[in-house]
Every structure is written in structure tokens, then in C-alpha cells.
Amino acid sequence: MREPLWSVHRPADICWRDWDGLGAVYDDGSGDTHLVDALVIEFLELLTRQPLSVRQLVDLLGDALPESMDQATAFAFFERQLRSMRDMGLVEPA
């Protein structure tokens, strides 16, 4: 079975700013503003370009994680991040 892909929900409505590890995401469609960490900004930048799986995100962003984090832990962490972003209305399964 193929891994599900994730993409930005309404990319034209989303804008963000990053300030050295912290960011703000504004969703023009909902009017919501979210304070997020740098990893969420990285997710948005990548998922705006193309839909990606959790495994692809881990491969692309794994260097941003602590060296002590193994692949399985990184995979679970990224899945939680994506679910949280989905709950905020920022991403969706593609």
C-alpha cells in the first residue's frame, strides 16, 4: 500500500513569516493566525511545492531533528505534526 501524501490546504490563502525558530501562519480563508515553530514553516514550504509523504518529509528534514532521534521516532513525530497542522486547517491528505 502506498503511503498517503500531504499537501497545503488552500495554498493561495496561507502566508507565513519566520523569525529565527518561531513563525506565524495566517490563513486568509479562515481568518486564523497560528504561532508555530520553524519545523511547521519548513513543512509548509515543502508541501506548497508538491504533495509529500511522511517518509519523504523525514528524508528531507531529518537533519533538522536532534541526532539522538531515530527514524521511527522521527516518523511518529512528523505524523503528529501533520495531524496538528491538519487540525489547524493548514494541511490535508492529498
Side-chain angles (χ1 to χ4, degrees):
M1 187 168 96
R2 204 176 107 173
E3 273 189 76
L5 300 178
W6 291 84
S7 64
V8 173
H9 180 66
R10 298 184 326 266
D13 288 344
I14 307 266
C15 64
W16 59 83
R17 297 290 179 263
D18 181 21
W19 297 279
D20 295 326
L22 290 177
V25 179
Y26 176 68
D27 182 348
D28 194 44
S30 69
D32 292 336
T33 300
H34 307 279
L35 297 176
V36 298
D37 61 29
L39 188 59
V40 170
I41 300 296
E42 293 284 339
F43 278 20
L44 290 173
E45 289 174 351
L46 290 170
L47 295 175
T48 297
R49 292 184 203 136
Q50 68 182 22
L52 296 168
S53 69
V54 174
R55 188 167 314 283
Q56 290 170 312
L57 287 166
V58 169
D59 290 343
L60 291 167
L61 298 173
D63 291 342
L65 298 172
E67 289 182 24
S68 61
M69 188 178 285
D70 64 27
Q71 187 88 2
T73 304
F75 194 88
F77 175 71
F78 277 35
E79 282 185 321
R80 284 192 306 275
Q81 286 287 103
L82 286 165
R83 283 194 305 270
S84 175
M85 291 171 68
R86 181 198 58 208
D87 293 347
M88 288 187 273
L90 301 176
V91 298
E92 63 186 356

